[in-house]
Amino acid sequence: MNFSGTITKPNFPFPPTEMPILTFGHSKLTAATLALQLPCNYIRKIRFITKLQCSVAGRTDSYRTSAADSQGSKRDSGEIQRKRRGASSLYAGYARPSLSEMKKDKATLRKVVYEFLRGIGIVPDELDGLELPVTVDVMKERVDFLHSLGLTIEDINNYPLVLGCSVKKNMVPVLDYLGKLGVRKSTITQFLRTYPQVLHASVVVDLVPVVKYLQGMDIKPDDIPRVLERYPEVLGFKLEGTMSTSVAYLIGIGVGRRELGGILTRFPEILGMRVGRVIKPFVEYLESLGIPRLAIARLIETQPYILGFDLDEKVKPNVKSLEEFNVRETSLASIIAQYPDIIGTDLEPKLADKRSVLNSVLDLDAEDFGLIIEKMPQVVSLSSTPMLKHVDFLKDCGFSVDQMRKMIVGCPQLLALNIDIMKLSFDYFQSEMERPLEDLVEFPAFFTYGLESTIKPRHNMVTKKGLKCSLAWMLNCSDEKFEQRMDYDTIDMEEMEMEPSFDMNSLMRPRSDESDSDYEDSDYEDDDDE
């Protein structure tokens, strides 16, 4: 190291010298040699100057280095600060509020939505815990859409949970699917009033499988929308639950498999009936009255709606009313088989009204009204005015009150026949047959036969044959039987047939499509599937 080029002159005076001895390149001096040749003061001054110069030089280099570094560090520092500010800003944007803050904000937004709903008349009490729109605008969109479907504020209050359905995600897809099936727009309002839960359903998961099941029950595609319109609740049932068990039970009691499609089309409510609680007790009660199970199956095929008659609220009380109005217990099965609607109507006031009307013109005995119901249970549904007109017609024909009473008790159908046709038959009876009125009193069913198809041809044959017979012997038999009678030389009184009555066996004719069923009663005792 050479210090000659780095030492500057001090401000204090000292003897000038070239100081060759400080040049390390030419002679090497030890500290002891230098100390001997220079005075102590001088040595101290030199050391001070040297230290001062080294310090100044070091600071100069340090300043140069730090200056260069400072420019770079300023650039780096600026960039770092910008990055820090950016990171801080980014973090601030994604910073999550505390749980308490989130709950507070959510409660505030829900309060605003609730205030909107109350303002338009909707009670939101049942909506607590339900996920709702966070803004009034979205909730207003839902309410307006429901209004466009015909639903009123009252309808929404009946099922406020519908406000939890998204218009785009829930309502529109469901309504589009129902429209494609053929559900009419004119019925959609009542459809949703009856079963608003459908708006929560998934088309693929919930609705499509049910429709496929109905098609599998032989319900025609064109009838599917009518079934849904009549009983929209069917879309909420599980396939393996009530629907399958009710169908299996009906087949088990003898309902024809080919009849299922028609039965379910006319009365799809069967699919929602529990076997153990509704269908089976109903069937067993009718059996206890004397109606065979197969006959019940035939009644269900032709009038499936009878399964909707409440057993405890309607059926049993109506049967009791029939007995109170002097209907014999042995006739209950025949009455219900002829006219099953009688056990599903508001029967007692109708029975009282009809008995009062008939008593006023016929002076019936206590048992007479019961006999009328047994022979024609439909009389409970007749209007009083037409009945009185028929009584007046008989009176005009010349029958006495006693004769009319006997005729109507023997053949209550006289109260419901077409009066114009009755007049034609009576005119023929008087002018061509020339029989006494008492013959009609003994066989009032004469008026129930066709004049051109039955009465005239048979009367002509009897007259040609020269036979003397009663109206009952001539009319109350089949055409085949009548042909056989025309070969008789004499009339056998033992062949006289009773007046026409209901034949229970007519309900139990065998079907070609009947097959054995695996049904067992125990399978349906406590079915609680939904």
Side-chain angles (χ1 to χ4, degrees):
M1 295 180 61
N2 192 339
F3 290 91
S4 60
T6 61
I7 298 176
T8 59
K9 292 183 178 181
N11 293 329
F12 51 87
F14 62 91
T17 177
E18 296 297 330
M19 296 177 63
I21 60 172
L22 297 179
T23 302
F24 285 90
H26 300 283
S27 62
K28 297 180 180 180
L29 299 178
T30 65
T33 305
L34 185 60
L36 291 176
Q37 294 179 0
L38 298 175
C40 291
N41 295 346
Y42 196 72
I43 291 174
R44 282 194 297 271
K45 290 179 180 181
I46 291 174
R47 287 178 177 173
F48 175 76
I49 294 169
T50 303
K51 186 183 293 185
L52 181 62
Q53 182 63 34
C54 289
S55 176
V56 171
R59 288 182 179 180
T60 302
D61 292 339
S62 176
Y63 174 76
R64 291 172 180 171
T65 302
S66 63
D69 293 341
S70 176
Q71 293 179 355
S73 64
K74 286 181 179 179
R75 290 192 299 269
D76 295 341
S77 176
E79 185 176 353
I80 291 172
Q81 290 299 326
R82 285 193 299 272
K83 289 183 178 179
R84 287 180 178 175
R85 286 196 300 269
S88 176
S89 176
L90 185 64
Y91 176 76
Y94 283 91
R96 292 185 178 180
S98 64
L99 184 60
S100 61
E101 290 175 343
M102 292 175 63
K103 289 183 177 179
K104 185 177 180 181
D105 292 342
K106 188 175 182 179
T108 301
L109 294 172
R110 181 177 285 266
K111 183 178 180 181
V112 174
V113 173
Y114 276 15
E115 289 176 353
F116 163 73
L117 293 177
R118 290 190 182 97
I120 61 176
I122 296 175
V123 181
D125 296 347
E126 297 183 28
L127 301 178
D128 292 342
L130 185 68
E131 192 69 27
L132 294 177
V134 296
T135 65
V136 172
D137 290 340
V138 178
M139 179 56 76
K140 185 177 185 301
E141 178 191 10
R142 294 186 183 182
V143 174
D144 290 343
F145 188 79
L146 293 173
H147 283 329
S148 70
L149 298 175
L151 298 181
T152 64
I153 295 297
E154 182 180 358
D155 297 328
I156 297 174
N157 278 328
N158 289 335
Y159 187 72
L161 298 181
V162 73
L163 295 174
C165 297
S166 168
V167 173
K168 294 181 180 179
K169 295 180 180 179
N170 300 108
M171 301 185 193
V172 171
V174 168
L175 294 173
D176 283 347
Y177 179 68
L178 294 177
K180 290 178 182 178
L181 289 176
V183 176
R184 295 167 294 178
K185 290 183 179 180
S186 59
T187 65
I188 199 64
T189 300
Q190 186 58 41
F191 190 105
L192 295 177
R193 283 175 180 163
T194 304
Y195 188 60
Q197 295 90 335
V198 72
L199 295 177
H200 291 286
S202 164
V203 172
V204 176
V205 176
D206 302 320
L207 305 186
V208 172
V210 173
V211 171
K212 289 184 178 179
Y213 179 85
L214 296 177
Q215 292 173 339
M217 290 290 102
D218 292 332
I219 298 178
K220 299 176 182 179
D222 291 342
D223 291 330
I224 292 292
R226 304 293 87 81
V227 170
L228 298 181
E229 290 173 0
R230 177 183 174 94
Y231 190 55
E233 294 96 328
V234 72
L235 292 171
F237 293 123
K238 295 180 180 179
L239 304 184
E240 68 278 6
T242 304
M243 290 198 293
S244 61
T245 55
S246 60
V247 169
Y249 180 83
L250 293 179
I251 293 174
I253 65 173
V255 172
R257 295 179 184 271
R258 295 180 182 177
E259 306 297 321
L260 282 176
I263 292 172
L264 297 178
T265 298
R266 284 174 286 160
F267 194 67
E269 288 86 346
I270 290 175
L271 294 171
M273 293 180 175
R274 294 174 182 258
V275 172
R277 296 182 184 180
V278 179
I279 303 178
K280 188 171 181 286
F282 180 86
V283 171
E284 291 178 346
Y285 180 72
L286 294 187
E287 281 187 292
S288 71
L289 297 178
I291 305 176
R293 177 169 289 201
L294 187 56
I296 298 173
R298 295 295 180 264
L299 290 176
I300 293 173
E301 289 177 0
T302 57
Q303 293 149 302
Y305 56 84
I306 64 174
L307 291 174
F309 297 158
D310 189 279
L311 182 60
D312 294 322
E313 297 295 327
K314 282 291 183 183
V315 178
K316 291 181 178 180
N318 284 342
V319 169
K320 183 178 179 181
S321 294
L322 289 172
E323 293 176 335
E324 291 175 350
F325 280 81
N326 300 106
V327 171
R328 294 172 294 181
E329 183 178 354
T330 54
S331 299
L332 290 173
S334 173
I335 290 173
I336 297 172
Q338 288 182 72
Y339 188 54
D341 297 66
I342 199 171
I343 57 175
T345 187
D346 192 8
L347 185 58
E348 185 176 0
K350 291 184 177 182
L351 290 171
D353 176 66
K354 299 304 177 293
R355 183 173 65 179
S356 176
V357 170
L358 293 176
N359 276 341
S360 66
V361 293
L362 299 176
D363 192 21
L364 298 175
D365 294 335
E367 292 77 14
D368 289 341
F369 184 71
L371 292 174
I372 290 174
I373 299 299
E374 289 177 10
K375 294 181 178 180
M376 195 182 86
Q378 294 88 343
V379 73
V380 299
S381 298
L382 294 179
S383 176
S384 297
T385 301
M387 286 197 307
L388 294 177
K389 287 183 178 180
H390 285 77
V391 173
D392 290 340
F393 165 75
L394 295 177
K395 186 184 296 184
D396 293 340
C397 291
F399 297 103
S400 66
V401 173
D402 290 341
Q403 288 177 323
M404 290 190 296
R405 179 174 62 250
K406 184 177 180 180
M407 293 174 69
I408 291 175
V409 171
C411 184
Q413 288 80 3
L414 296 179
L415 297 172
L417 296 175
N418 186 299
I419 291 183
D420 292 335
I421 294 177
M422 291 178 70
K423 288 180 178 179
L424 293 175
S425 297
F426 183 73
D427 290 343
Y428 182 80
F429 174 83
Q430 280 190 317
S431 61
E432 298 294 334
M433 301 179 72
E434 298 179 347
R435 288 173 174 263
L437 290 180
E438 190 61 29
D439 284 2
L440 292 178
V441 174
E442 295 297 328
F443 190 69
F446 166 84
F447 290 100
T448 65
Y449 292 91
L451 178 61
E452 299 296 334
S453 62
T454 304
I455 296 176
K456 285 184 177 182
R458 293 190 181 186
H459 171 69
N460 291 334
M461 292 180 68
V462 168
T463 302
K464 185 177 180 180
K465 189 78 174 177
L467 297 175
K468 295 291 184 180
C469 64
S470 67
L471 292 176
W473 188 89
M474 181 178 72
L475 297 175
N476 190 20
C477 62
S478 64
D479 289 339
E480 181 180 1
K481 184 67 175 177
F482 181 77
E483 292 290 343
Q484 294 176 1
R485 287 178 177 180
M486 290 298 97
D487 293 334
Y488 296 166
D489 294 330
T490 59
I491 297 176
D492 188 353
M493 297 303 296
E494 293 182 358
E495 289 189 3
M496 294 295 294
E497 298 182 12
M498 299 296 293
E499 293 183 6
S501 60
F502 178 77
D503 182 10
M504 187 72 71
N505 292 326
S506 63
L507 290 175
M508 297 184 287
R509 291 188 295 271
R511 294 182 180 277
S512 60
D513 62 336
E514 288 180 349
S515 59
D516 294 335
S517 172
D518 295 331
Y519 156 75
E520 293 182 3
D521 282 357
S522 59
D523 294 340
Y524 300 94
E525 289 293 344
D526 297 308
D527 67 311
D528 289 326
D529 295 333
E530 190 61 53

